[in-house]
Amino acid sequence: AQSVTQLGSHVSVSEGALVLLRCNYSSSVPPYLFWYVQYPNQGLQLLLKYTTGATLVKGINGFEAEFKKSETSFHLTKPSAHMSDAAEYFCAVSKMDSNYQLIWGAGTKLIIKP
Amino acid sequence: ETGVTQSPTHLIKTRGQQVTLRCSSQSGHNTVSWYQQALGQGPQFIFQYYREEENGRGNFPPRFSGLQFPNYSSELNVNALELDDSALYLCASTGSGANVLTFGAGSRLTVL
């Protein structure tokens, strides 16, 4: 069965510092991979996705993620954190027989220190 | 274009009661999925509807049921509510051939 592991339920970085949120998945074949962001009392917003092609994917708000098949990872990065990036971030993979049924990690809450 | 809208935004029920949550999908989207997000956890897939029929279901008991209407809007019904049903219920829609879900802001259900 597919699963998603996000390392660290909370990550704290200073404003202007590098953001790195880790995501590893288990799957026998490369799935579709997603990062979503959830602001307090809001729904989930797509940051970026990997389906096929280039393994470095750029998303909104300056975020990017790299699909590494050998490491079964899809870590999310941003060169310089901004206060507005404080939110919860979820990594998800699509179920093999359905592109719509996502399997989610438990989420990482990003805290930005001034 | 309008996004996914859900109602109500918050509601409180007691154990044993029944609840209906509603979702209007984004214009042009014909597939609706429902997810349950317990506090501090990632979403869990409940089920999915396409052309008014359920075409995928997660590990949820039959007391979780749904409907999709000809205009692609959807309902989630939960019978015999239990305390553990307290969660944020998210609706998401997508169009044919697409692989990206558009989420609503959710309905927060509290069961006392």
Side-chain angles (χ1 to χ4, degrees):
Chain A
Q2 289 173 291
S3 66
V4 177
T5 302
Q6 290 184 240
L7 285 177
S9 59
H10 292 76
V11 169
S12 181
V13 302
S14 297
E15 191 174 18
L18 171 72
V19 175
L20 171 61
L21 304 182
R22 300 177 187 274
C23 172
N24 288 88
Y25 66 92
S26 66
S27 176
S28 57
V29 295
Y32 291 174
L33 296 153
F34 306 82
W35 274 99
Y36 280 82
V37 61
Q38 187 174 36
Y39 297 99
N41 300 314
Q42 294 187 28
L44 293 147
Q45 179 184 6
L46 179 70
L47 273 179
L48 48 78
K49 64 177 180 178
Y50 170 79
T51 53
T52 59
T55 56
L56 182 62
V57 180
K58 294 187 184 298
I60 62 171
N61 301 339
F63 284 93
E64 61 183 36
E66 186 171 12
F67 167 58
K68 291 187 176 180
K69 182 179 177 181
S70 61
E71 299 177 7
T72 60
S73 69
F74 191 56
H75 301 331
L76 181 71
T77 60
K78 181 173 180 178
S80 178
H82 191 272
M83 295 299 291
S84 61
D85 295 327
E88 189 144 24
Y89 292 79
F90 292 92
C91 180
V93 303
S94 61
K95 201 165 178 288
M96 279 294 96
D97 56 355
S98 167
N99 289 340
Y100 312 138
Q101 297 183 32
L102 298 184
I103 298 166
W104 299 78
T108 298
K109 188 170 186 178
L110 179 62
I111 300 162
I112 311 296
K113 297 179 291 186
Chain B
E1 86 189 351
T2 57
V4 177
T5 57
Q6 293 186 241
S7 62
T9 54
H10 295 80
L11 69 167
I12 300 173
K13 294 283 188 178
T14 57
R15 273 189 309 174
Q17 284 189 312
Q18 178 267 343
V19 68
T20 298
L21 307 178
R22 295 178 175 82
C23 171
S24 293
S25 59
Q26 181 165 311
S27 176
H29 286 184
N30 56 14
T31 302
V32 174
S33 304
W34 285 91
Y35 287 82
Q36 179 195 65
Q37 185 180 16
L39 201 61
Q41 297 181 26
Q44 298 288 319
F45 174 74
I46 303 175
F47 45 55
Q48 175 180 288
Y49 278 82
Y50 172 68
R51 290 187 176 180
E52 302 176 55
E53 290 196 5
E54 183 181 299
N55 73 339
R57 190 176 183 94
N59 189 26
F60 280 80
R63 61 190 185 83
F64 284 78
S65 63
L67 285 172
Q68 186 181 30
F69 300 100
N71 66 354
Y72 305 127
S73 66
S74 177
E75 286 183 356
L76 164 65
N77 298 288
V78 187
N79 294 322
L81 284 167
E82 300 176 0
L83 297 180
D84 286 349
D85 295 333
S86 295
L88 180 67
Y89 288 85
L90 295 163
C91 172
S93 70
T94 189
S96 295
N99 54 25
V100 175
L101 297 173
T102 300
F103 282 86
S107 294
R108 185 164 297 281
L109 170 65
T110 302
V111 182
L112 302 176

